[in-house]
Amino acid sequence: MATRTDAPTRREQILREAARLFAERGFHGVGVDEIGAAVGISGPGLYRHFAGKDAMLAELLVGISGQLLTGAKRRVREADGGSADVLLDSLIEGHIDFALDDRPLITLHDRELDRLRDTDRKLVRQLQRQYVELWVSVVREVYPTLPEPAARSAVHSVFGLLNSTPHLGRPGSLPGRGATAELLHRMARGAFAAAGTD
Amino acid sequence: MATRTDAPTRREQILREAARLFAERGFHGVGVDEIGAAVGISGPGLYRHFAGKDAMLAELLVGISGQLLTGAKRRVREADGGSADVLLDSLIEGHIDFALDDRPLITLHDRELDRLRDTDRKLVRQLQRQYVELWVSVVREVYPTLPEPAARSAVHSVFGLLNSTPHLGRPGSLPGRGATAELLHRMARGAFAAAGTD
DNA sequence: CAGGGAGGTTAGCGGTCGTTAACCTGAAGG
DNA sequence: CCTTCAGGTTAACGACCGCTAACCTCCCTG
């Protein structure tokens, strides 16, 4: 067969397996030997690709936060001039896609942040904050009576709802990806609507 | 028999601090010396009260799951003969109280389960499953058209929403405990309503 | 008032972990 | 054909961690 569009580089392979293992057993619960074994090399061979175990986690978390924020900004741009209501649906859809397709990353993203070095942690926190604030502004446009602190709480809570995908049973026991995505979407909108209705 | 308002025993003190530390830095990220220091004794002194570090986590997780389930069963009993709608509100209220008052435990409860020994993990899983199924049956009574798999997914998602309290900022930056509880309650009901409306 | 248990202490052992050092190898390039 | 180098290997080091051993010291009680 012809080479695929992008053969996954070894770095990406390592990051993928590291994410899975970190999500399963926690950052401190996984040894570098295990990560190496997961990609067919062993232990110290990883140091040809990363400065250390911390660097893998940092790259994962920065990547996640950046990807979420970039995607959200793109959606805002594409919806320019449209209704805030449609934009909110778009944001929800994007977040659900991410939560369903990259469960290990979603798990890491709100679990292992404190294991980062100061500089990396601040960067991730900043990206996450921008993402939240973007949502908050859209939510407040859809529900103008909702005070900002309540809107921010509501956004965090809806993230909790959408990020519950890892608890939803392994893919296969679900009613199907599309049905699950739609259910989550409806629930998120329902939650926001309930928050915005005094 | 035991009086109800005892001064916290050393065991309880240890469990409390261990829960906080485990939630902050992860089970593997906390050393026994730190736990000891948090209660004013040092390291190995903990072994006068617990068989080991694992035993502390086990007691915490079994305690959480059991407490949630017991509380839910009590609420079902007290609501006997009443409407399922009121009962669902009662369950939500109980879960919110727990999520707001014991944030470290809520964090541990869905994060460190895999660090348990087989026997303990199975016990915790069983308690959690009973708790979920209790919610599912109540939700299906309130929204009879909702299929069981969808109801179960909805329950897990609402747990994700309610358990988002640790992300809501330290207590003090919130609009107040009562207002936060009410907001979470409304959002949970809104999410369920959206799930149950085809 | 002996003595024994509850609840501490410090020293240290054995194992694990992240990381480095030193070495190997196959393929590309002039 | 020789060199270079990316990408591996194994050995080993130092730090840390969970836990045990050995010992101490109150306080309660018969």
Side-chain angles (χ1 to χ4, degrees):
Chain A
M1 73 172 66
T3 56
R4 280 198 225 159
T5 55
D6 278 347
T9 140
R10 169 96 340 153
R11 265 183 76 90
E12 294 166 342
Q13 205 182 5
I14 293 170
L15 284 175
R16 186 181 196 82
E17 294 302 310
R20 185 179 55 80
L21 289 167
F22 289 161
E24 280 174 9
R25 297 210 280 284
F27 179 67
H28 291 296
V30 181
V32 289
D33 289 353
E34 300 179 70
I35 303 174
V39 297
I41 72 181
S42 237
L46 296 170
Y47 287 75
R48 298 286 167 194
H49 304 277
F50 293 92
K53 199 180 152 194
D54 296 345
M56 301 181 207
L57 182 64
E59 189 156 327
L60 283 171
L61 292 188
V62 172
I64 303 162
S65 314
Q67 208 172 319
L68 278 173
L69 179 59
T70 301
K73 279 181 173 172
R74 180 176 48 77
R75 287 183 138 83
V76 170
R77 207 183 318 116
E78 288 171 0
D80 189 54
S83 75
D85 200 80
V86 171
L87 175 54
L88 182 54
D89 277 329
S90 175
L91 289 179
I92 292 171
E93 185 190 342
H95 197 104
I96 288 176
D97 284 345
F98 198 82
L100 283 176
D101 296 336
D102 296 288
R103 297 194 192 191
L105 293 182
I106 273 293
T107 299
L108 286 186
H109 161 266
D110 73 315
R111 187 170 296 195
E112 307 284 357
L113 180 60
D114 297 323
R115 266 52 112 196
L116 255 48
R117 281 192 191 157
D118 257 35
T119 163
D120 291 322
R121 188 173 60 248
K122 280 178 183 170
L123 172 57
V124 172
R125 281 238 167 85
Q126 186 188 328
L127 293 169
Q128 288 182 347
R129 208 173 53 84
Q130 287 183 64
Y131 185 65
V132 170
E133 294 308 314
L134 193 150
W135 275 68
V136 167
S137 73
V138 175
V139 167
R140 292 199 72 202
E141 214 172 328
V142 178
Y143 301 100
T145 66
L146 194 61
E148 185 174 304
R152 190 170 293 109
S153 289
V155 166
H156 279 292
S157 298
V158 166
F159 287 169
L161 188 154
L162 297 179
N163 293 349
S164 67
T165 51
H167 302 293
L168 259 42
R170 305 298 156 239
S173 79
L174 289 176
R177 200 209 117 110
T180 301
E182 198 207 317
L183 177 64
L184 287 172
H185 198 129
R186 282 212 314 272
M187 292 180 74
R189 289 300 314 224
F192 275 135
T197 309
D198 300 293
Chain B
M1 289 308 233
T3 57
R4 217 178 327 159
T5 48
D6 278 340
T9 112
R10 173 68 20 129
R11 266 183 75 91
E12 292 165 344
Q13 204 183 5
I14 293 170
L15 284 175
R16 185 181 196 83
E17 294 302 310
R20 184 179 56 82
L21 289 168
F22 289 160
E24 279 174 9
R25 297 209 280 283
F27 179 67
H28 291 297
V30 180
V32 290
D33 289 352
E34 299 179 71
I35 304 175
V39 297
I41 71 181
S42 237
L46 295 170
Y47 288 75
R48 298 287 167 194
H49 304 277
F50 293 93
K53 200 179 148 193
D54 295 345
M56 300 180 207
L57 182 64
E59 189 157 328
L60 282 172
L61 292 188
V62 172
I64 303 162
S65 314
Q67 208 173 317
L68 278 173
L69 180 58
T70 301
K73 280 180 173 172
R74 180 174 49 77
R75 287 183 138 84
V76 170
R77 208 182 319 116
E78 289 172 0
D80 188 55
S83 76
D85 200 81
V86 170
L87 175 53
L88 182 55
D89 277 329
S90 174
L91 289 180
I92 292 171
E93 186 191 341
H95 197 104
I96 288 176
D97 284 344
F98 198 81
L100 283 176
D101 296 336
D102 297 286
R103 298 194 189 189
L105 294 182
I106 274 294
T107 299
L108 286 186
H109 162 265
D110 74 314
R111 186 171 298 195
E112 306 286 355
L113 181 59
D114 297 323
R115 266 52 112 195
L116 255 47
R117 287 171 43 228
D118 255 35
T119 162
D120 291 323
R121 189 173 58 247
K122 279 178 183 169
L123 171 57
V124 172
R125 281 238 168 84
Q126 186 188 328
L127 293 169
Q128 288 183 347
R129 208 173 52 83
Q130 287 182 64
Y131 185 65
V132 169
E133 293 310 314
L134 192 149
W135 275 67
V136 168
S137 73
V138 175
V139 166
R140 293 199 71 204
E141 214 171 327
V142 177
Y143 301 100
T145 65
L146 194 62
E148 185 174 303
R152 190 169 294 108
S153 289
V155 166
H156 279 293
S157 298
V158 166
F159 287 168
L161 188 155
L162 299 179
N163 294 349
S164 67
T165 51
H167 302 291
L168 259 41
R170 306 300 155 237
S173 81
L174 288 177
R177 202 211 117 109
T180 301
E182 198 207 317
L183 177 65
L184 287 171
H185 198 130
R186 282 211 316 271
M187 293 181 74
R189 290 297 318 222
F192 276 134
T197 309
D198 300 294

